[in-house]
Amino acid sequence: QVQLAQSGAEVKKPGASVKVSCKASGYTFTTYYMHWVRQAPGQGLEWMGKINPSGDITTYAQKFQDRITMTRDTSTSTVYMELSSLRSEDTAVYFCARKRDGYNLFDYWGQGTLVTVSS
Amino acid sequence: SYVLTQPPSVSVAPGQTARITCGGYNIRSKSVHWYQQKPGQAPVLVVYDDSDRPSGIPERFSGSNSGNTATLTISRVEAGDEADYYCQVWDSSSDHVVFGGGTKLTVL
């Protein structure tokens, strides 16, 4: 069965960076796009960006363009999202989500990773 | 950038029908997908491509899309349907995914 297992919760200071991982299993990793979506406490879903199956093309939301990097390691079937210059407003749960092949929707989600930014 | 507008909240009594709207310019030209999210959980797809249901989703969940409004309809609402619901589209002009702001469904 398809599973997306994310790394554990993080606490970071303002100005620092965080790197969240998402390990995929149960399907052919190199076939699917992976996206990242975040959710601030009590707020809605916010799309951050995506990475293509081979890992050489990324598309980021304008809001994060300058401080986000998505990568993927096919040897370990893991996708990474690194966000730099953290501020308190980045406190959120970060989800990885697999794009269904042939559709622009998400059929599987990771469990979420809470990132807390606090001095 | 493309914007999707949802009402913040919808309330309905058990057994009644809940309708959650998602407004966007000429949204009928896009495929709209709907997710259900319960507290502390990841979202779950309940309707895709305007009106199709993934396997395992009850027939009580249906969708439509016309003009500038897409609608998620939940018939014979149950207590277990209480959750946040989000609409989502892909904006081809920007190649970005867009979510609506979410609607909290309360079962009275």
Side-chain angles (χ1 to χ4, degrees):
Chain A
Q1 70 283 23
V2 174
Q3 289 189 336
L4 301 177
Q6 297 185 221
S7 48
E10 303 260 15
V11 179
K12 296 292 183 180
K13 294 193 181 300
S17 297
V18 69
K19 192 170 186 177
V20 180
S21 68
C22 170
K23 184 173 176 58
S25 61
Y27 70 97
T28 303
F29 179 72
T30 51
T31 302
Y32 292 83
Y33 278 77
M34 196 73 78
H35 294 236
W36 289 88
V37 176
R38 79 176 186 179
Q39 186 171 38
Q43 302 301 308
L45 302 173
E46 180 175 31
W47 181 75
M48 302 181 73
K50 64 178 179 179
I51 185 166
N52 73 334
S54 57
D56 57 349
I57 300 176
T58 53
T59 303
Y60 302 134
Q62 194 84 3
K63 176 177 181 177
F64 305 104
Q65 190 76 34
D66 296 336
R67 58 190 188 103
I68 192 171
T69 303
M70 295 180 186
T71 55
R72 60 197 295 162
D73 182 346
T74 55
S75 68
T76 60
S77 298
T78 302
V79 178
Y80 299 92
M81 187 284 299
E82 183 171 22
L83 191 64
S84 62
S85 303
L86 291 170
R87 34 221 190 220
S88 59
E89 310 90 87
D90 294 317
T91 294
V93 175
Y94 290 76
F95 294 99
C96 58
R98 192 187 82 163
K99 186 184 87 69
R100 178 182 290 184
D101 193 28
Y103 295 82
N104 286 295
L105 59 84
F106 307 122
D107 55 359
Y108 289 94
W109 296 67
Q111 83 274 21
T113 296
L114 176 62
V115 175
T116 302
V117 182
S118 174
S119 55
Chain B
S1 60
Y2 195 76
V3 175
L4 295 174
T5 302
Q6 297 182 237
S9 63
V10 168
S11 299
V12 64
Q16 299 303 303
T17 298
R19 294 180 178 84
I20 298 172
T21 59
C22 175
Y25 176 74
N26 198 29
I27 197 173
R28 67 178 180 179
S29 67
K30 302 183 182 300
S31 292
V32 180
H33 317 297
W34 291 90
Y35 300 87
Q36 176 193 70
Q37 186 183 34
K38 295 183 178 179
Q41 299 183 17
V44 173
L45 183 69
V46 293
V47 167
Y48 70 97
D49 281 357
D50 301 336
S51 59
D52 290 335
R53 266 188 325 277
S55 60
I57 300 301
E59 291 183 7
R60 301 184 298 103
F61 288 81
S62 62
S64 62
N65 187 6
S66 178
N68 294 316
T69 304
T71 303
L72 172 69
T73 301
I74 310 171
S75 305
R76 302 180 299 284
V77 166
E78 303 173 356
D81 299 331
E82 190 163 281
D84 294 324
Y85 291 84
Y86 295 90
C87 57
Q88 177 250 307
V89 301
W90 173 63
D91 180 21
S92 58
S93 64
S94 62
D95 192 24
H96 287 188
V97 168
V98 181
F99 286 101
T103 298
K104 180 176 181 58
L105 175 66
T106 299
V107 181
L108 301 171

